[in-house]
Amino acid sequence: MLDIPQLLSRVKLFRKKAAVRCAMCSMGGVGSTALARHIGSISDKTIREHAYTPAVYDDEVDIRLGYMFGNPYDAVLSLFRRNYQDMHAKAMNVNSPTPARSLRGMTLEEYLERGVDEFNIERQFDNWVSNLSPKHPTILIKYESLGSTIDKVLEFFQCEEPFELKRRNSSWVDQPSRIIEGLQLIYGDVAAKIDAMPPLKILLPESAHTRTLNAVPS
């Protein structure tokens, strides 16, 4: 039987930390899981945590959405390093017009040789960032700038508890030239789009206009 301190510990671990209902989605491989759990995302470990479009949440009421994106080269490397490629291909295509191609047992080199974005990262990115008249308040978060914008992110989700950031330990620039060239061939276009995005952007349903938030000075 659990004692009182153990019970309190579990309550603290699983209680919802944000003051509003929220769902955090991402392109994968950008460290979104820890933040999703911190704010109490309803999509954590569901088929909607990598929703290919925000329209997946149109039936929800009183909810705030978050979409985290980042450098696609590092993201894809992270997926293959953890052997998540097959699972993630399914997650990124679920309920979409395209069926997922099996990536089970496929190596990064084999994937890059095919030259096809089986995760449909660019489609998902375009669907989220181009949704200028969203049904729900939506925050677009660039992973690489999270260190300077985390306070604004927590404020958006009305979460008062601080969030501890973790940095990547590796970078795509350290990969062999053949890997870098393969990544750039498939993801060069979406990488340029992501690089051009501001650190943070909020899309509000009451207006077709967007409000861009400047990064918090370090």
Side-chain angles (χ1 to χ4, degrees):
M1 173 178 270
L2 295 173
D3 58 24
I4 296 300
Q6 288 174 315
L7 286 171
L8 290 175
S9 176
R10 290 198 173 188
V11 169
K12 183 177 181 180
L13 179 63
F14 291 107
R15 71 183 178 83
K16 184 177 179 180
K17 295 182 179 179
V20 295
R21 291 184 73 244
C22 55
M24 176 65 69
C25 297
S26 81
M27 58 186 278
V30 291
S32 60
T33 298
L35 181 58
R37 292 175 181 174
H38 184 79
I39 63 174
S41 169
I42 66 167
S43 61
D44 183 41
K45 294 305 177 187
T46 73
I47 61 172
R48 298 193 297 175
E49 67 178 331
H50 299 296
Y52 85 101
T53 172
V56 168
Y57 291 92
D58 280 357
D59 291 338
E60 293 287 343
V61 178
D62 295 328
I63 193 170
R64 295 190 175 197
L65 304 181
Y67 175 65
M68 189 179 294
F69 56 91
N71 186 290
Y73 308 148
D74 283 328
V76 170
L77 289 173
S78 175
L79 294 171
F80 276 89
R81 183 171 57 249
R82 294 175 292 163
N83 199 31
Y84 285 176
Q85 64 271 22
D86 186 62
M87 175 179 64
H88 196 64
K90 293 180 173 66
M92 292 285 280
N93 288 284
V94 68
N95 294 324
S96 81
T98 55
R101 293 279 297 274
S102 175
L103 302 183
R104 184 180 298 276
M106 183 175 292
T107 66
L108 174 62
E109 290 78 7
E110 291 170 339
Y111 177 79
L112 296 179
E113 285 178 3
R114 294 170 67 172
V116 178
D117 175 18
E118 301 291 2
F119 304 116
N120 281 303
I121 290 175
E122 188 168 12
R123 176 182 66 183
Q124 185 205 50
F125 176 80
D126 289 344
N127 285 342
W128 279 87
V129 305
S130 301
N131 187 30
L132 300 185
S133 296
K135 184 170 182 179
H136 308 292
T138 303
I139 189 168
L140 308 177
I141 308 162
K142 182 182 284 189
Y143 169 76
E144 287 79 12
S145 302
L146 192 56
S148 61
T149 61
I150 185 60
D151 290 342
K152 291 294 185 182
V153 172
L154 296 178
E155 178 184 349
F156 176 83
F157 291 115
Q158 298 180 22
C159 179
E160 297 181 355
E161 298 185 35
F163 177 72
E164 182 179 355
L165 295 170
K166 294 183 179 180
R167 299 295 183 184
R168 289 193 190 276
N169 295 321
S170 60
S171 172
W172 65 276
V173 298
D174 299 323
Q175 294 294 312
S177 59
R178 68 182 186 282
I179 299 296
I180 293 176
E181 291 169 1
L183 290 168
Q184 291 176 331
L185 178 64
I186 302 175
Y187 297 105
D189 289 345
V190 68
K193 292 180 182 180
I194 289 172
D195 187 59
M197 285 290 290
L200 207 66
K201 179 178 282 190
I202 292 178
L203 309 177
L204 301 174
E206 60 266 25
S207 170
H209 299 291
T210 62
R211 177 162 60 95
T212 302
L213 301 181
N214 294 325
V216 179
S218 58

